[in-house]
Amino acid sequence: MNQLVIVLDFGGQYKELIARRVRECGVSSVIWPGDTDVDQIRRANPIGVILTGGPDSVYAPDAPRCGDGLFTLGIPVLGICYGLHLTAYALGGEVAPCATREYGRTDMTLDASCPLFEGLDVRQTGLMSHTDQITRLPDGFVSAGSTGNCRNAAIMDRVRAIYGVQFHPEVENTPNGTAMIRNFLYSVCGAAGDYDIGDYEARAVNEIRAQVGDERVLLGLSGGVDSSVCAALLAKAIPGRVYCIFVDHGFMRKGEGDEIGAAFPWRRKLRLIRVNAGVRFLELLKGVEDPEMKRKIIGAEFVRVFEGEAKRLGDIKFLAQGTIYPDVVESGANKSATIKSHHNVGGLPDSMAFKELVEPLRGLFKDEVRMLGRRLGLPKALAERQPFPGPGLAVRIIGEVTAEKLDILREADAIFREEIKQMRDRPDQYFAVLTDTRSVGVMGDFRTYGYTIALRAVRTTDFMTCEYAHIPHRMLKHTVSRIVGEVPGVTRVVYDITGKPPATIEWE
Ligand code: XMP
């Protein structure tokens, strides 16, 4: 068993980041609800507990609280933002609204003797985002840092090993934040650094074998990172008994359908079944213009194809899914698994009689899934694959989807991707959209009337918000000349520079 840190969630937007940072520092972590019973925490025997931030004011009557007795367990605690307020409040201190709120990167002066700040300069920058602050420290505590507006930017009680920070050490805007978390883990909690992705792999392989026994497993392979890594892990654990169904709906990008099948180095250990259903899907989308309608039709048909294949394969009791830790946390940590929407295009119906789910990536964050993929030898093209909507190019063609439009978009998109590949610092997501606007052009002596392609390239870390990517104009110009020159039917290309919000990343 690895040493464990429990992150108690009080509704802060950075809870996953905290848990990831802990893992990056070589310590296993889980996220549990803030009010988890203290007995349950004791039984898990963590080396430390971290309390997240949250949107509430701790003095409000319905503010979230931690379980009684958390601070007398003798386990080191680090409270962050709301977690700091909760610590102070629970131990008899006072929290009140700030006279001056602090938002954004803020200069701080820290106490070098505080174990959290070991090895760091006393002058640091931290991301602040708070409207309350500690106005009176609980007994036993001293301030360990301050800003111009906040006397208690960090607090400590060395005897009980309880610490708190007003700023967010987990975000990049606190440049030495990870070092502070590492100090908490190693200097305060006595971490041994016994967690790495290799342990996870070994444990997951054993667990798959124990769960599945001699049975066969069915996996829906979308070509996305999660399902690909899941397939790789299953191939290692139970070679020859994994049936991967890849439903090619005909809306993949250029070459992708072939890549997904061919690129798998574990092909011999997996039974890959590719169902080419492009004609069927296109027929169903005839005359359909509404994006939601397109998604629904594709989702429903996807399930039908999948179901048909599953039936053909006979009595397979186990269904594997590439569920990852954020899915588990979002659906309520520790709750039992439910079948999530498959391939992101639609849920599998209840009528599919699987005995059990196999979810070997349930404990991993996205970047850890990629790391595991690299360990398992996942081809680069798959490991670095950008997010791609389940309904594929069908939602990147505005209006009705036709074979002709699919061909145009595939070519234009392939050119854009080829060009972007030459950038050293590539955008996080980039693709082409075929708009429903036609416009007049001139080629040689001929007047043309063709489609408008929109190029989209964004910078983002979480895909919840984004900014457009600043692609060099020379590169844009070259891309545009290539698209209009090489793709018949396109007369005009535009570059979308809208951020999210207000726009979404995809056009439909
Ligand atoms: P939006 O367009 O909502 O997209 O800003 C956010 C991110 O999600 C991706 N996306 C999808 N991913 N199934 C997926 O797996 C979908 O149906 C889907 N729709 C959008 C999108 O590419 C972006 O990265």
Side-chain angles (χ1 to χ4, degrees):
M1 263 318 253
N2 293 114
Q3 290 182 331
L4 179 72
V5 163
I6 297 176
V7 176
L8 290 180
D9 171 22
F10 294 97
Q13 56 179 328
Y14 302 130
K15 61 183 180 231
E16 288 173 11
L17 217 44
I18 298 172
R20 271 176 54 193
R21 292 281 178 262
V22 171
R23 292 186 190 187
E24 275 167 37
C25 293
V27 180
S28 177
S29 66
V30 289
I31 302 170
W32 285 3
D35 60 357
T36 301
D37 193 74
V38 167
D39 270 341
Q40 193 183 333
I41 294 174
R42 186 190 295 116
R43 280 197 302 276
N45 195 26
I47 59 165
V49 173
I50 301 181
L51 314 180
T52 74
D56 296 272
S57 279
V58 75
Y59 44 79
D62 52 354
R65 305 260 182 258
C66 52
D68 284 339
L70 179 71
F71 298 101
T72 52
L73 281 175
I75 298 168
V77 174
L78 172 64
I80 296 174
C81 200
Y82 181 82
L84 164 86
H85 300 161
L86 189 63
T87 304
Y89 193 77
L91 295 173
E94 216 172 67
V95 176
C98 306
T100 313
R101 297 168 175 193
E102 287 181 308
Y103 283 110
R105 288 176 70 127
T106 308
D107 290 334
M108 315 183 285
T109 307
L110 304 175
D111 177 349
S113 77
C114 172
L116 294 184
F117 310 130
E118 223 172 75
L120 298 176
D121 203 278
V122 295
R123 303 204 63 85
Q124 293 289 331
T125 303
L127 181 86
M128 288 286 188
S129 171
H130 66 118
T131 53
D132 289 338
Q133 64 175 342
I134 298 176
T135 44
R136 187 164 51 79
L137 289 171
D139 289 345
F141 280 82
V142 292
S143 169
S146 60
T147 71
N149 291 311
C150 179
R151 263 188 299 133
N152 297 305
I155 66 169
M156 62 174 165
D157 176 343
R158 285 170 189 271
V159 179
R160 286 184 284 178
I162 302 176
Y163 295 82
V165 289
Q166 181 62 75
F167 56 92
H168 289 274
E170 67 276 22
V171 301
E172 280 170 13
N173 271 329
T174 302
N176 284 314
T178 304
M180 297 172 194
I181 292 173
R182 182 174 290 115
N183 280 340
F184 174 68
L185 298 170
Y186 287 84
S187 301
V188 179
C189 304
D194 62 0
Y195 172 81
D196 81 8
I197 202 74
D199 298 340
Y200 189 94
E201 179 189 321
R203 206 168 47 236
V205 165
N206 287 335
E207 282 171 8
I208 292 168
R209 287 180 182 151
Q211 185 187 2
V212 172
D214 300 332
E215 297 281 344
R216 298 176 299 163
V217 176
L218 190 73
L219 170 73
L221 192 69
S222 69
V225 177
D226 302 342
S227 65
S228 300
V229 175
C230 190
L233 203 52
L234 288 166
K236 183 158 186 184
I238 46 167
R241 286 185 284 133
V242 190
Y243 292 74
C244 296
I245 301 180
F246 165 48
V247 178
D248 186 347
H249 47 28
F251 308 132
M252 305 304 275
R253 294 172 294 185
K254 188 174 178 183
E256 208 168 28
D258 295 334
E259 270 168 26
I260 287 168
F264 266 75
W266 323 275
R267 262 210 327 269
R268 270 166 286 124
K269 298 180 185 166
L270 295 170
R271 296 174 190 242
L272 183 68
I273 298 157
R274 175 174 173 177
V275 190
N276 289 317
V279 177
R280 205 165 143 176
F281 276 87
L282 204 53
E283 189 62 31
L284 285 168
L285 288 187
K286 225 176 213 164
V288 181
E289 292 184 355
D290 177 64
E292 272 316 295
M293 205 55 193
K294 285 191 214 169
R295 280 179 186 268
K296 282 206 183 101
I297 293 171
I298 295 169
E301 187 60 13
F302 183 88
V303 170
R304 237 167 273 139
V305 176
F306 192 89
E307 231 175 351
E309 285 305 303
K311 259 197 207 110
R312 204 175 54 78
L313 290 169
D315 185 26
I316 297 187
K317 296 194 180 68
F318 291 89
L319 176 71
Q321 292 199 132
T323 312
I324 65 172
Y325 196 49
D327 303 328
V328 177
V329 174
E330 290 318 318
S331 64
N334 300 328
K335 294 218 177 104
S336 60
T338 47
I339 295 188
K340 76 164 184 175
S341 77
H342 179 75
H343 193 86
N344 300 303
V345 287
L348 293 180
D350 296 339
S351 60
M352 290 191 75
F354 290 104
K355 196 175 110 201
E356 262 180 63
L357 286 177
V358 183
E359 297 180 307
L361 309 180
R362 255 180 99 74
L364 296 182
F365 288 110
K366 193 83 182 183
D367 54 335
E368 293 178 304
V369 173
R370 286 185 203 275
M371 228 187 279
L372 179 58
R374 280 196 292 273
R375 269 184 71 91
L376 290 164
L378 194 74
K380 227 169 156 214
L382 288 184
E384 290 173 6
R385 195 169 180 258
Q386 306 172 48
F388 187 61
L393 299 184
V395 289
R396 289 182 179 169
I397 289 173
I398 312 303
E400 187 185 3
V401 181
T402 64
E404 181 215 7
K405 287 183 188 170
L406 276 167
D407 286 342
I408 292 176
L409 179 56
R410 251 188 220 115
E411 291 306 318
D413 183 71
I415 291 171
F416 188 36
R417 285 193 291 142
E418 239 174 75
E419 293 298 321
I420 292 273
K421 261 205 188 115
Q422 294 168 27
M423 282 177 81
R424 213 176 312 142
D425 181 21
R426 285 180 218 156
D428 300 295
Q429 194 172 2
Y430 45 96
F431 54 89
V433 172
L434 181 65
T435 73
D436 56 353
T437 298
R438 298 239 245 165
S439 73
V440 175
V442 53
M443 271 188 177
D445 289 333
F446 295 100
R447 180 183 175 281
T448 54
Y449 186 59
Y451 288 104
T452 306
I453 286 280
L455 302 178
R456 183 96 168 118
V458 298
R459 299 257 177 217
T460 175
T461 47
D462 54 12
F463 298 88
M464 316 262 279
T465 59
C466 78
E467 299 220 32
Y468 82 93
H470 294 234
I471 297 176
H473 276 236
R474 228 172 346 106
M475 182 174 269
L476 276 177
K477 191 172 164 199
H478 185 60
T479 307
V480 173
S481 328
R482 278 196 61 196
I483 292 177
V484 272
E486 295 174 30
V487 189
V490 178
T491 41
R492 204 171 288 268
V493 181
V494 296
Y495 185 48
D496 177 1
I497 62 166
T498 329
K500 172 182 177 180
T504 49
I505 295 177
E506 301 288 344
W507 274 40
E508 281 200 339

